[in-house]
Amino acid sequence: MSSLPTSTPAAQGVDAAGVQAFLDALESDPGIEPHSLMLLRHGQVVASGWWAPYAVERPQLLYSLSKSFTATAAGFAVAEGLIRLDDPVISYFPEFDADVTDPRSRAMLVRHVASMASGHLEETLDRARAQDPGELVRGFLLVPPERDPGTVFAYNQPATYTLGAIVQRVTGRKLTEYLRPRLFDPLGIGQVGWIHDRRGRELGFSGLHATTDAIARLGLLYLRGGMWEGERLLPESWVAEATRVQISPGAPAEGGWTDWQQGYGFQFWMSRHGYRGDGAYGQFCVVLPEQDAVLAITSETVDMQRVLELAWVHLLPAFAAGPLPGHEAADAALADRLTHLALPPADGKADPAGRAEEGETCFAPHGGSCTDQPTLTAVEVGPGGRVTLVDDGDRLELGLGAGEAGWTVVDEPVPVAVSGGWTDEETLAVDVAFLETPHHLLVTCSLADRTFTARWRTQPLHAGPLRRMRAPRSA
């Protein structure tokens, strides 16, 4: 994989002080845990950093930012004549023709599912699964839209799933397989993985794992109108249609127009500045055509609007019309900071006095079951900071206090970073960061009753045993 070209911020007309202020704001906000950041201007990387224990080479779960990659696959299929936006969705699934009788469902076009304009008034995922647990497309089409397709917006996972299913059907390939020679290889994107369902279909609406670098490259492709290194990959017409308002979300929320109410394209959100793909808990690909810039971010937060607000406040004023001479010291200070980014570890001792010689202690779930992670059945603690999570029959062995900056990284069977330890002689508190996702599992063991509690700091949207908290190794 070739590296993207790099430059100093000042050479590309970016004031390093604005980037520093953005970093300050991210790090000081208690509701945001930044994991990575890449800022590109005029096609050059002017700032990039990963907060240890997160690292440049690790893929991240992108959640709904996956949708923008699904749209890109659809764009290729349209360009190749495999899909037509004005075809009825049902025409791609003739086996459901007799079952789908609602006239609005039958009138739903490919462009409607691409733009979240299926005619439904709200999310249909649970209802579609109830209609057909084994075939989400059929279940979706059996949920009658309340309005005519194309007239209302509703953020709707089965709409994107259906778009991805159409691409996979007409190409005979999984999304990752279809995108590999058309997108991933030309852009220099390395290994990716996409969660699939029981039918073997990649989800489309979520589940893609890719690096921050891959996010930045996708944004740069769209910023350039579908061109990459002098070669046209995506039709300019597709990029233009995907990144303009196809449907309006409706009336603004109380307090004004947020970045989720500016309009929706083909699996891209319009923003108050530019447009973006985004995913739950703070995964962003922000494209700023007026500034000729791309911002890629991975993080853990429930306040995604706040991240965008900070970018508008601190980064937008940092863009100048031309180079900024005399900013060498500021550029050097930013570069140094970006190489030393790190998250603070949880407090605790690996082996407090009086416990080093004790044998292994097994802790059972407090109250008889772990409600946040039902498959977690036991925590075993031994001398030397050894902690083992027993989850769905798997044993995830962790260590404490041996790693750089207070984090211990374990790559198998699941990539995690661990911090924390004994906060007193009776209490062990461990922070387990699942490094290929945004999520942390906080485990607390009590010697008094030999029980543990475990809670997710942010709840994973793809439930299952802990062994699934990693990128699929598929493409």
Side-chain angles (χ1 to χ4, degrees):
M1 181 182 75
S2 61
S3 298
L4 289 169
T6 61
S7 177
T8 62
Q12 304 305 320
V14 179
D15 187 348
V19 182
Q20 291 269 27
F22 183 52
L23 297 176
D24 288 342
L26 290 175
E27 292 184 334
S28 64
D29 193 305
I32 301 171
E33 180 182 88
H35 295 166
S36 71
L37 174 148
M38 291 183 68
L39 178 63
L40 282 64
R41 183 96 194 275
H42 305 323
Q44 308 275 319
V45 179
V46 298
S48 62
W50 284 257
W51 279 261
Y54 296 86
V56 59
E57 70 278 0
R58 288 202 184 273
Q60 299 293 303
L61 172 57
L62 303 187
Y63 278 122
S64 284
L65 181 48
S66 308
K67 292 178 170 70
S68 300
F69 286 86
T70 299
T72 304
F76 285 118
V78 168
E80 293 169 11
L82 300 175
I83 294 175
R84 290 191 296 266
L85 289 173
D86 291 317
D87 282 347
V89 169
I90 190 65
S91 68
Y92 292 91
F93 303 95
E95 68 272 29
F96 306 147
D97 189 74
D99 300 333
V100 180
T101 59
D102 181 83
R104 286 174 171 155
S105 291
R106 296 185 66 84
M108 194 186 304
L109 306 180
V110 174
R111 70 169 59 252
H112 296 145
V113 294
S115 58
M116 298 293 188
S118 63
H120 297 96
L121 296 179
E122 59 186 9
E123 173 69 65
T124 65
L125 183 58
D126 290 342
R127 286 180 288 163
R129 284 174 171 166
Q131 288 281 358
D132 192 331
E135 173 49 270
L136 189 59
V137 173
R138 180 176 178 274
F140 172 56
L141 293 174
L142 289 175
V143 178
E146 295 87 354
R147 300 287 187 271
D148 290 339
T151 63
V152 293
F153 170 86
Y155 197 66
N156 196 351
Q157 312 305 325
T160 315
Y161 178 90
T162 298
L163 180 65
I166 291 172
V167 174
Q168 290 173 86
R169 171 158 289 198
V170 300
T171 65
R173 298 283 188 272
K174 294 179 180 179
L175 293 170
T176 48
E177 294 170 346
Y178 181 61
L179 286 172
R180 174 53 63 193
R182 293 164 177 83
L183 180 74
F184 298 143
D185 285 345
L187 265 60
I189 293 174
Q191 186 181 64
V192 301
W194 211 319
I195 295 172
H196 58 78
D197 63 12
R198 287 176 292 179
R199 299 183 64 87
R201 281 194 197 126
E202 291 171 337
L203 294 182
F205 65 85
S206 185
L208 178 63
H209 294 69
T211 62
T212 313
D213 179 83
I215 300 171
R217 289 169 189 256
L218 180 74
L220 188 56
L221 175 67
Y222 274 82
L223 178 65
R224 290 172 168 171
M227 297 290 292
W228 190 266
E229 295 181 348
E231 178 184 356
R232 175 153 300 284
L233 300 183
L234 275 174
E236 187 176 14
S237 59
W238 173 264
V239 173
E241 288 296 296
T243 60
R244 73 170 182 87
V245 177
Q246 296 287 335
I247 190 78
S248 172
E254 183 178 352
W257 291 87
T258 71
D259 284 287
W260 276 264
Q261 293 166 307
Q262 303 301 313
Y264 198 76
F266 290 153
Q267 309 296 301
F268 282 91
W269 292 94
M270 304 305 106
S271 296
R272 284 172 293 169
H273 306 280
Y275 57 88
R276 71 189 191 282
D278 65 38
Y281 302 121
Q283 325 317 312
F284 288 101
C285 177
V286 181
V287 181
L288 300 168
E290 289 188 13
Q291 291 76 22
D292 194 28
V294 174
L295 175 64
I297 292 176
T298 63
S299 61
E300 184 194 36
T301 182
V302 296
D303 191 356
M304 293 173 63
Q305 179 65 57
R306 179 63 176 163
V307 177
L308 293 175
E309 295 282 356
L310 296 177
W312 306 152
V313 169
H314 299 292
L315 288 184
L316 285 183
F319 294 116
L324 299 172
H327 282 236
E328 292 80 7
D331 287 350
L334 174 61
D336 181 68
R337 178 176 182 176
L338 289 168
T339 62
H340 294 93
L341 297 174
L343 299 177
D347 292 332
K349 298 179 180 179
D351 231 347
R355 287 204 46 81
E357 303 304 321
E358 294 186 21
E360 192 165 89
T361 305
C362 186
F363 297 82
H366 182 76
S369 66
C370 180
T371 55
D372 253 23
Q373 181 64 27
T375 55
L376 183 57
T377 56
V379 178
E380 299 172 359
V381 179
R386 187 175 71 250
V387 178
T388 302
L389 306 184
V390 182
D391 182 84
D392 197 41
D394 299 319
R395 296 177 62 82
L396 178 57
E397 296 185 1
L398 314 173
L400 291 173
E404 184 178 355
W407 293 93
T408 301
V409 174
V410 177
D411 283 306
E412 295 295 341
V414 182
V416 298
V418 189
S419 67
W422 292 92
T423 58
D424 57 45
E425 292 186 0
E426 296 292 315
T427 308
L428 175 70
V430 181
D431 181 341
V432 185
F434 288 79
L435 293 175
E436 295 180 355
T437 82
H439 303 294
H440 290 248
L441 185 65
L442 308 178
V443 180
T444 304
C445 299
S446 172
L447 275 178
D449 57 6
R450 297 296 196 271
T451 65
F452 75 87
T453 60
R455 66 176 180 88
W456 290 104
R457 197 164 71 184
T458 50
Q459 186 68 40
L461 302 183
H462 301 292
L466 295 179
R467 62 175 172 270
R468 296 182 188 173
M469 298 290 291
R470 68 177 304 164
R473 301 305 197 251
S474 60

